[in-house]
Amino acid sequence: MSIRILRRDHTHRAIALITPSHALIFRHSVPTTQGSFGSFQVPSSASANKCMVEFSILESVDLNDYKPLSPLPVQGTLGLITINNDVFICVVTGATQVATVRPGEAVQRIDAVEFHCLNSTDYDDITSDEVSPYLTDTSSQDGLEYAYQNRRELAFEHPCSALKKLLSGGTFYYSVGFDLTNRLQDRSIDASTFDIDTLDDGFLWNSYMIRPIVEFRSRLGDQERDAFDLSRMLTSAIRGFVQTITVPASTSPFKTPRTGLPSTLTLISRLSCRRAGTRFNARGIDDDGNVANFVESETVFWSPSGLCFSYAQVRGSVPIFWEQATGLLPNQQKIQATRSPEATQPAFDKHFEALEVKYGAIHVLNLLSESKPGEVDLTSGYRYHVRHSSLNNTDDKDNSPDHQLLRETEYDFHAETRGSSGYEAASMIRHLIQNSAGGFGYFLSDHGGNWTNSGSADMYHQQRSIVILQQEGIFRTNCLDCLDRTNLIQTIVSQMAVESFFSSRSERVAPDFWMRHSTLWADNGDSLSKIYAGTGALKSSFTRHGKMSIAGAIADARKSATRMYINNFADKGRQNTIDVLLGRLMGQTPVHLFDPINDFVTSELKKRAVEYSSTKTIHILVGTFNLNGKTSGINEDLSSWLCPNVGASQQQPEVVAVGFQEIVELSPQQIMSTDPARRQMWEKAVARTLNQNAAKAGSEEYVLLRSGQLVGAALAIFVRSSVIRDIKNVEGSVKKTGMSGMAGNKGAVAIRMDFANTQICFVTAHLAAGFSDYEERNRDYKTINHGLRFQRNRSIDDHDTVIWLGDFNYRIGLGDERVRKLIHVGDLDSLYENDQLNLQMVAGLTFPFYSESRITFMPTYKYDNGTDNYDTSEKARIPAWCDRILRKGSNLRQICYNTAPLQFSDHRPVYATFQCTVSIVNEQLKKRLSQDIYEHRRLEVRGSTANTKTGDTDDEDLIGYDPIAPGLPPASSDRQRWWLDNGLPARSIIEAPGVGFGLNPHKSSNPFTPTEEPDWVKCPRAETKKACTRVMPPPPERSKGTLLKAQTLSSSSGPECGALLVINDGPTHQSTNRPTTRIGQFSPENVSRNRAPPIPKKPIQLTFKAGRRSSVSGESRDCPEPQHVSDGATVSSSVSATPRLIQEISKFPPPPRRLATTSEHRPLTSDKGPKVPNLGNTLSKLGDREGCPPLPPRRSTNERTDGLIDGGGEDMPNMASWEPLRPR
């Protein structure tokens, strides 16, 4: 599917990926602080780059402002990355199909990529260096010829040019039709199922870049997520080698004359990205158990007849901590172990335990030399750790090499091939590994029927694939570099597996087929060698042609010299580029993607699940029975077990799960194959019993939903016919644990289902036997729990309800005589206190988080057949509760737990009944609610989406952030707020409740101070726009130096206010025509409604010693001498202030404020000078009048003013001799 890429530069830069049905839009949101390392810069970890993302139906997106960003069609998206504080999206612009594993499973090789900046247009027109998609020995692994690299650098280089060269080098592959990161055996049986959740991160090289998009996808609704997956916008890339060779029908081992189609032979090598690097920069193991140059190679053969063969093997560096320094002389680089054996063992065990869980038993092929000192030390350490491995330290008495989970074969490749036979002698390794190769087997599936020319890939996938065999173990091969010697030996191992497959079907293989097989492996060796060491593999001439020529020897010498140059001078830069791609550099953080709408909708739907869902209680009966290979009970009445006498509510349960163990006799011939005949006989017996009982009760009949079998273990699920419509997604799976995972005598069978919207899983298991082998039983549980997988990589723990049933083989840790005595007296509590399963569960060593009801029945093992007597044979088995039923799930309640008196086996059957609460989701109601939330959220965020055209807002900092703790509101901004209704601004204009009100000056400025003061008080003078003064007649003529007391003003519309003016001598100016001006006059027209009204100045009274000289800043001047004030002299405060008056007043600077500790006011005088009348009482009365505003703060004596008091540009006089006087 071709994808168009568009851009929009204004108002916000956005990049859109357009498919025929949907659009994925990215928009950079907020720049972050940047950090740098080397030539790359990344945002600091504290503030990662944020981008808004939107996935919408194409019809709902406005693309009028978008224009094409690149003329090249986009094949897929590799993800997002931050370089130099710029966010880039990486898209695949060139790809070539190189393989077809099965019909509809095509693999593309990435030939060209482009990086487009989300937040800048600076790089739109930069053309990067041309990269050759054809790798040769004269080109580096990033595709550039060495001669080309010496050309002068461009003046302005794209910041992602190094990444582009790496990704365009022809070593990365992807597929849009299937999961390329997993081998065929680990993939879903339905090949058309492709789920991003199943990708193996260990082989996903763009996992760091696609992680933000994958997380965004996980937050989408179910329908949106399915649409996103179908769009194929997201690309999962592996690194390594993939190639398919067509095998003509004439040379194919399988003849299909009716089709005439050729077969295909495919080789897929997946290089791990967890310890990725170049030759001398990545060696050995890390603390997480990851090793350098770890590669999984899978050989796949597909035939038009429907058969598909797969065989996997791995290679990897010696799994201990070691390093090797570079050097200019070949084979002289010193090898050094960096940790002690004791400190290395934990990491070693992690590595092989992970391999055992994924692949089963492991056979190590160590090809290191026994004569080179460095390699000898590595072999010695390897041997030590294998011997002390946790996989081999078991209490199993039969701990023979053939039954060990981890085996090692040391094969000195150079010594074995030094003779005249040359590399042909390497084939002698076949005899050393023949037993393991036969035991491991291979994977084989069959679609059934022949494939024809008229068929299509869709028709092929609609046919259900049947798994015939599974691979139960793996070979792990290594040399020093895991390149040349390793590739040759792996070619031999692959050939052995293919030969085994063809010989089992009596097919003859033509020499031409083996030539094609060798060519594949030779190309594989060259590709992997170029990635790790910089050149093609050595010894590839022998791998390709089966013999070593002179030309091949010369080519090997040239490759060795080229490796020396690259490893010493080029690998450091290549390693840095790999680390940037994988997000390993210090401070490097992934891009944070958020969708303001869908993220919120998903979160709200979870919170409001009760609105669109309901619950229903169903009943489940579970039974387990070890048949001991007997068939005599098939015709017996099984009602006491399957239809027990329980409460009425437990009768006729909706679901019945029946598990069997040892359904066949576990002979050496039986444990490697599965015979379904016995299982089908018992299924009919169970169905007959259930339906007979249902008929008696007048209830509906039971039907077999699904069954599964692993040799002797079988599981069958029966349901009432009326509930089938509520059940969907029924799947089955098996997991072997016998003989280190190679045999099915021990293991588990599991069946899962969705009952309404609740996921239920049933697991029947038969664990390891033996009185003291409880640790092996614990390991069996872990192997089953971690290794058993359903479709989409769903595990057992991924279900809401899980029930385990079966013969777990845990014993009672007491002697036989003691146990029998306690059974005789009925002391079950003492027996249970010594029960191995109980003790292991309490210790947390097995079945964590599972529960078991109280045991009220006698031990179920071992009885004499046909009697109720415990074992009386010579072995005298100690009685034990081997047969158990365990449960996990908060919606599950166990009602009954008991045994049934069926005597035809040496075990007694056990049953349990449960009440299970299942969730039922009304999908239509959920959809309507989702749409309502979506529309409401869209109105809230308005333009704050990835496709918005509005300007930047602070809200983008907050969109996408959840509350920091449950119960707390989310982050807020001017537009996004939780305390105001939608549409109201967060900034409000405070208005008075009515005309004539003002803020209460007596209310504390601290809003948390307890007070009874109201916020507003009545201020009558604010009711009118007129000045609350009357025009006074002009004042009488005054004598020089008169101190006038302002007349107390009164009016009917306002409170009385006073003012004190000090007027020097001068002529009196009468102004009857000028408008009157009142000092401190308040008018609503003169102030903003957000500002408080001006406050009148405080009255003051000052005294000063005549003739006093003061000095300020080194200057001195005479201070005027104030005169006494006549008691009867008054002046109206409304008198116009004349220039003469202002000039005279300005000669008096304001006095300093009094100290806070001043407790009373009194007129102060200097030591010598006239006394000034005390006006404190009069002024105090003025200041205490109701309704007057508070006095303003006094200006500092050092402050220069531009108002009434103006020093005329001179410094203020020294106020040291002045003291404040203000009313009491």
Side-chain angles (χ1 to χ4, degrees):
M1 179 185 296
S2 179
I3 303 173
R4 293 183 297 146
I5 183 167
L6 308 179
R7 74 177 185 185
R8 187 193 66 202
D9 296 333
H10 303 286
T11 303
H12 287 286
R13 178 171 171 87
I15 292 180
L17 299 175
I18 307 298
T19 68
S21 59
H22 288 80
L24 181 64
I25 303 174
F26 298 94
R27 187 189 116 197
H28 186 259
S29 178
V30 178
T32 58
T33 55
Q34 70 177 33
S36 63
F37 36 81
S39 60
F40 293 94
Q41 294 181 345
V42 295
S44 64
S45 58
S47 56
N49 272 282
K50 294 189 300 180
C51 290
M52 301 180 73
V53 61
E54 180 180 353
F55 181 72
S56 304
I57 300 175
L58 188 59
E59 289 77 8
S60 64
V61 179
D62 182 10
L63 298 177
N64 292 329
D65 296 334
Y66 286 84
K67 59 183 179 181
L69 179 58
S70 173
L72 299 175
V74 174
Q75 308 294 330
T77 308
L78 292 179
L80 301 167
I81 195 169
T82 302
I83 302 294
N84 296 344
N85 208 38
D86 291 324
V87 180
F88 293 88
I89 180 172
C90 180
V91 294
V92 179
T93 56
T96 303
Q97 181 172 329
V98 295
T100 302
V101 182
R102 294 185 296 186
E105 296 182 353
V107 180
Q108 313 288 330
R109 183 186 64 212
I110 298 176
D111 295 331
V113 299
E114 291 291 343
F115 285 84
H116 300 292
C117 188
L118 288 180
N119 58 304
S120 175
T121 61
D122 296 342
Y123 312 107
D124 288 349
D125 300 324
I126 298 179
T127 57
S128 302
D129 298 337
E130 293 296 331
V131 179
S132 172
Y134 306 103
L135 293 180
T136 64
D137 288 342
T138 60
S139 64
S140 65
Q141 58 87 30
D142 56 22
L144 289 181
E145 298 286 337
Y146 298 125
Y148 183 84
Q149 292 177 351
N150 294 328
R151 292 172 54 181
R152 63 181 180 87
E153 296 182 358
L154 297 176
F156 189 73
E157 186 180 24
H158 196 288
C160 300
S161 59
L163 286 174
K164 179 178 179 180
K165 295 170 186 175
L166 176 66
L167 292 170
S168 303
T171 59
F172 289 87
Y173 303 84
Y174 74 94
S175 175
V176 296
F178 71 104
D179 180 7
L180 189 55
T181 64
N182 281 296
R183 59 176 177 160
L184 195 61
Q185 178 169 322
D186 294 335
R187 282 197 267 135
S188 168
I189 296 177
D190 184 1
S192 62
T193 301
F194 177 49
D195 191 350
I196 297 175
D197 298 329
T198 65
L199 299 178
D200 188 341
D201 289 340
F203 298 119
L204 186 63
W205 272 73
N206 61 327
S207 61
Y208 170 75
M209 292 199 297
I210 69 170
R211 187 184 309 158
I213 305 178
V214 171
E215 292 176 353
F216 160 72
R217 170 193 170 275
S218 66
R219 299 192 298 268
L220 294 175
D222 294 339
Q223 294 181 353
E224 291 81 4
R225 189 184 304 118
D226 293 339
F228 184 87
D229 292 344
L230 291 175
S231 69
R232 298 292 188 251
M233 291 186 183
L234 195 57
T235 302
S236 56
I238 69 167
R239 195 180 191 194
F241 174 81
V242 182
Q243 186 175 337
T244 292
I245 289 183
T246 301
V247 182
S250 59
T251 60
S252 176
F254 289 101
K255 308 301 180 183
T256 53
R258 288 184 295 172
T259 65
L261 293 178
S263 303
T264 58
L265 182 65
T266 304
L267 180 58
I268 304 174
S269 287
R270 306 173 181 93
L271 176 63
S272 174
C273 61
R274 288 182 174 160
R275 188 167 169 76
T278 54
R279 185 183 182 192
F280 289 101
N281 291 292
R283 292 290 204 190
I285 196 173
D286 63 14
D287 288 293
D288 294 324
N290 304 312
V291 296
N293 200 22
F294 182 82
V295 182
E296 177 190 84
S297 296
E298 180 182 15
T299 305
V300 180
F301 175 80
W302 177 82
S303 169
S305 63
L307 286 175
C308 188
F309 160 89
S310 168
Y311 186 81
Q313 52 185 318
V314 297
R315 68 175 73 181
S317 184
V318 177
I320 64 177
F321 292 94
W322 63 282
E323 297 175 354
Q324 188 177 20
T326 58
L328 297 177
L329 297 178
N331 301 322
Q332 295 300 317
Q333 296 89 350
K334 184 179 179 181
I335 297 173
Q336 179 182 3
T338 58
R339 288 198 193 179
S340 65
E342 294 77 14
T344 302
Q345 192 68 47
F348 183 93
D349 290 340
K350 286 182 182 179
H351 174 70
F352 281 100
E353 286 173 359
L355 292 182
E356 191 272 333
V357 169
K358 184 174 183 179
Y359 301 107
I362 308 119
H363 191 141
V364 172
L365 300 180
N366 182 12
L367 310 179
L368 293 176
S369 173
E370 297 179 356
S371 58
K372 297 180 180 179
E375 296 188 18
V376 169
D377 294 339
L378 292 179
T379 298
S380 176
Y382 208 161
R383 187 185 307 119
Y384 170 86
H385 291 298
V386 169
R387 188 167 59 251
H388 292 83
S389 171
S390 59
L391 297 180
N392 289 336
N393 292 336
T394 65
D395 296 330
D396 191 357
K397 297 178 181 179
D398 186 16
N399 197 21
S400 62
D402 290 337
H403 292 172
Q404 289 181 347
L405 290 175
L406 178 59
R407 298 180 57 191
E408 181 191 20
T409 296
E410 296 175 3
Y411 186 81
D412 186 346
F413 181 88
H414 290 312
E416 297 293 337
T417 59
R418 190 174 293 123
S420 58
S421 300
Y423 295 143
E424 294 180 4
S427 61
M428 298 301 296
I429 198 173
R430 288 170 171 263
H431 303 290
L432 301 177
I433 63 176
Q434 186 64 47
N435 291 338
S436 292
F440 292 163
Y442 46 82
F443 175 82
L444 183 63
S445 65
D446 187 4
H447 268 72
N450 290 329
W451 177 251
T452 63
N453 284 315
S454 60
S456 64
D458 293 337
M459 292 176 57
Y460 178 80
H461 293 316
Q462 290 173 2
Q463 302 177 26
R464 181 174 179 81
S465 178
I466 301 174
V467 176
I468 300 175
L469 291 175
Q470 286 189 330
Q471 186 176 343
E472 303 295 346
I474 200 165
F475 285 101
R476 185 195 189 279
T477 310
N478 72 271
C479 55
L480 191 64
D481 298 323
C482 302
L483 295 176
D484 315 316
R485 291 173 278 180
T486 297
N487 194 73
L488 197 153
I489 294 300
Q490 285 196 326
T491 304
I492 297 174
V493 174
S494 175
Q495 185 175 350
M496 292 175 62
V498 175
E499 288 176 348
S500 176
F501 163 57
F502 288 143
S503 62
S504 66
R505 308 186 73 84
S506 302
E507 299 288 351
R508 187 181 64 86
V509 182
D512 179 72
F513 178 87
W514 295 122
M515 183 60 67
R516 298 173 189 273
H517 178 270
S518 299
T519 300
L520 268 182
W521 276 96
D523 293 341
N524 173 73
D526 286 339
S527 180
L528 297 179
S529 181
K530 290 173 185 177
I531 294 173
Y532 190 60
T535 70
L538 307 181
K539 308 174 183 64
S540 61
S541 176
F542 177 82
T543 305
R544 197 178 301 274
H545 304 293
K547 59 181 180 180
M548 195 66 182
S549 62
I550 297 177
I554 296 175
D556 287 351
R558 179 171 58 84
K559 292 176 184 177
S560 297
T562 306
R563 282 186 183 181
M564 177 194 67
Y565 171 82
I566 294 175
N567 299 155
N568 282 276
F569 302 106
D571 276 355
K572 185 176 181 181
R574 295 199 305 156
Q575 183 69 50
N576 189 60
T577 305
I578 292 173
D579 290 339
V580 172
L581 175 66
L582 299 176
R584 292 179 175 176
L585 295 185
M586 185 62 64
Q588 194 173 359
T589 56
V591 179
H592 174 69
L593 286 182
F594 63 95
D595 181 357
I597 299 179
N598 284 309
D599 289 0
F600 180 82
V601 170
T602 302
S603 176
E604 282 297 302
L605 284 176
K606 292 181 180 179
K607 296 177 183 177
R608 301 171 61 176
V610 66
E611 299 181 26
Y612 56 84
S613 62
S614 59
T615 59
K616 173 184 177 181
T617 300
I618 65 171
H619 299 87
I620 302 175
L621 184 141
V622 177
T624 178
F625 198 177
N626 187 316
L627 298 173
N628 194 25
K630 307 297 182 182
T631 59
S632 56
I634 290 180
N635 297 322
E636 289 191 17
D637 183 11
L638 305 178
S639 299
S640 59
W641 174 43
L642 301 176
C643 306
N645 186 17
V646 294
S649 62
Q650 300 299 303
Q651 297 289 341
Q652 307 303 314
E654 284 81 356
V655 180
V656 177
V658 180
F660 295 103
Q661 302 81 45
E662 297 188 29
I663 200 170
V664 296
E665 295 182 4
L666 298 181
S667 62
Q669 294 78 18
Q670 290 278 5
I671 63 175
M672 301 302 294
S673 62
T674 298
D675 182 8
R678 290 281 185 92
R679 185 197 77 231
Q680 294 169 357
M681 294 170 57
W682 280 105
E683 288 171 358
K684 292 179 181 179
V686 172
R688 182 179 63 251
T689 302
L690 293 175
N691 288 325
Q692 287 177 354
N693 186 74
K696 293 178 181 179
S699 178
E700 57 194 293
E701 66 175 1
Y702 286 86
V703 297
L704 176 64
L705 182 66
R706 178 159 181 162
S707 63
Q709 182 180 357
L710 175 64
V711 186
L715 177 64
I717 306 296
F718 295 85
V719 298
R720 281 174 21 192
S721 57
S722 62
V723 301
I724 292 181
R725 64 178 182 271
D726 298 326
I727 299 175
K728 58 183 178 181
N729 298 329
V730 182
E731 302 170 16
S733 183
V734 299
K735 183 64 179 178
K736 299 178 183 179
T737 60
M739 294 180 62
S740 303
M742 293 183 292
N745 60 316
K746 297 293 188 290
V749 181
I751 296 177
R752 56 97 46 209
M753 69 179 73
D754 290 345
F755 197 110
N757 296 96
T758 299
Q759 301 180 10
I760 304 176
C761 179
F762 299 96
V763 184
T764 185
H766 194 188
L767 305 185
F771 180 83
S772 60
D773 293 337
Y774 56 88
E775 291 184 350
E776 186 174 352
R777 289 187 276 273
N778 294 348
R779 284 194 297 270
D780 285 351
Y781 160 76
K782 294 178 181 178
T783 300
I784 296 169
N785 192 61
H786 292 91
L788 191 146
R789 287 290 187 271
F790 300 99
Q791 292 185 18
R792 300 198 173 193
N793 203 36
R794 186 183 283 113
S795 67
I796 295 175
D797 290 334
D798 292 334
H799 294 78
D800 304 312
T801 302
V802 183
I803 299 178
W804 283 68
L805 58 147
D807 181 2
F808 299 158
N809 262 321
Y810 285 92
R811 310 303 171 91
I812 298 175
L814 297 174
D816 180 62
E817 183 177 356
R818 175 65 174 164
V819 170
R820 292 175 187 261
K821 287 183 179 180
L822 292 174
I823 292 175
H824 181 71
V825 299
D827 190 357
L828 300 183
D829 292 339
S830 297
L831 293 174
Y832 190 71
E833 290 175 357
N834 293 275
D835 178 69
Q836 292 178 351
L837 178 58
N838 174 43
L839 296 175
Q840 296 298 302
M841 290 177 65
V842 170
L845 300 177
T846 190
F847 291 99
F849 309 109
Y850 283 87
S851 301
E852 183 182 28
S853 289
R854 178 184 177 88
I855 295 180
T856 59
F857 49 86
M858 295 298 176
T860 60
Y861 172 84
K862 178 185 183 189
Y863 290 89
D864 292 335
N865 290 336
T867 70
D868 287 331
N869 301 322
Y870 287 105
D871 187 17
T872 58
S873 65
E874 296 180 357
K875 294 184 178 180
R877 304 287 189 183
I878 301 175
W881 286 298
C882 290
D883 308 279
R884 313 288 275 268
I885 299 175
L886 307 179
R887 70 184 188 277
K888 182 175 71 171
S890 59
N891 62 334
L892 200 63
R893 176 171 173 257
Q894 188 164 347
I895 305 299
C896 180
Y897 194 24
N898 211 335
T899 60
L902 299 179
Q903 300 179 347
F904 58 83
S905 173
D906 58 355
H907 289 252
R908 290 292 180 266
V910 176
Y911 65 88
T913 59
F914 300 90
Q915 283 184 353
C916 181
T917 303
V918 297
S919 175
I920 303 175
V921 175
N922 188 328
E923 295 295 341
Q924 294 182 351
L925 183 59
K926 180 181 179 181
K927 184 177 181 179
R928 288 198 299 268
L929 181 61
S930 176
Q931 293 174 348
D932 293 342
I933 299 174
Y934 183 93
E935 294 299 328
H936 181 75
R937 181 62 171 175
R938 187 171 61 85
L939 293 175
E940 283 185 342
V941 302
R942 289 192 286 271
S944 298
T945 61
N947 200 34
T948 183
K949 302 178 183 179
T950 59
D952 289 328
T953 65
D954 294 336
D955 302 289
E956 294 182 10
D957 291 333
L958 305 175
I959 293 175
Y961 288 89
D962 295 328
I964 59 176
L968 296 182
S972 306
S973 71
D974 288 345
R975 292 174 56 201
Q976 302 300 324
R977 60 228 165 262
W978 53 267
W979 68 92
L980 294 177
D981 293 334
N982 185 36
L984 294 180
R987 294 192 182 101
S988 299
I989 298 175
I990 301 177
E991 297 181 354
V995 179
F997 282 87
L999 291 173
N1000 186 358
H1002 301 292
K1003 187 175 178 62
S1004 174
S1005 60
N1006 185 352
F1008 300 100
T1009 301
T1011 179
E1012 296 181 357
E1013 292 286 345
D1015 293 331
W1016 302 89
V1017 294
K1018 186 74 173 177
C1019 184
R1021 63 178 176 172
E1023 296 177 358
T1024 176
K1025 296 183 179 180
K1026 298 180 180 180
C1028 55
T1029 63
R1030 66 176 181 270
V1031 178
M1032 301 297 294
E1037 216 173 312
R1038 296 179 298 279
S1039 61
K1040 180 180 180 180
T1042 303
L1043 181 64
L1044 300 178
K1045 176 183 178 183
Q1047 178 185 6
T1048 302
L1049 305 179
S1050 63
S1051 77
S1052 59
S1053 62
E1056 297 181 359
C1057 299
L1060 187 64
L1061 301 179
V1062 179
I1063 306 176
N1064 285 328
D1065 55 336
T1068 303
H1069 299 272
Q1070 297 183 7
S1071 179
T1072 58
N1073 298 326
R1074 296 181 181 181
T1076 60
T1077 302
R1078 183 174 68 86
I1079 300 176
Q1081 178 179 359
F1082 171 77
S1083 174
E1085 296 177 349
N1086 299 333
V1087 297
S1088 170
R1089 58 193 302 192
N1090 286 337
R1091 298 177 54 191
I1095 304 173
K1097 301 183 182 301
K1098 297 181 290 185
I1100 59 174
Q1101 181 176 359
L1102 305 173
T1103 62
F1104 187 73
K1105 181 179 180 180
R1108 177 88 177 187
R1109 296 183 62 84
S1110 62
S1111 175
V1112 181
S1113 302
E1115 299 181 5
S1116 64
R1117 63 184 180 90
D1118 293 331
C1119 297
E1121 181 178 352
Q1123 303 295 326
H1124 292 283
V1125 179
S1126 175
D1127 293 339
T1130 61
V1131 62
S1132 172
S1133 63
S1134 62
V1135 176
S1136 300
T1138 64
R1140 171 72 175 176
L1141 175 63
I1142 296 174
Q1143 182 179 4
E1144 294 298 326
I1145 292 177
S1146 65
K1147 294 181 180 180
F1148 288 89
R1153 299 191 65 178
R1154 66 181 176 87
L1155 299 176
T1157 57
T1158 303
S1159 60
E1160 62 180 355
H1161 305 280
R1162 52 187 172 85
L1164 300 176
T1165 62
S1166 59
D1167 295 337
K1168 296 179 181 182
K1171 300 293 184 179
V1172 181
N1174 186 355
L1175 302 180
N1177 294 334
T1178 302
L1179 298 177
S1180 177
K1181 294 178 180 179
L1182 296 176
D1184 293 338
R1185 292 187 181 276
E1186 183 179 357
C1188 289
L1191 299 178
R1194 178 66 67 187
R1195 289 192 297 268
S1196 170
T1197 57
N1198 294 330
E1199 182 180 355
R1200 302 286 295 270
T1201 64
D1202 298 326
L1204 291 175
I1205 300 177
D1206 187 2
E1210 299 179 359
D1211 294 327
M1212 290 295 186
N1214 191 347
M1215 302 298 294
S1217 60
W1218 292 84
E1219 295 186 21
L1221 179 64
R1222 58 180 299 184
R1224 295 179 181 274

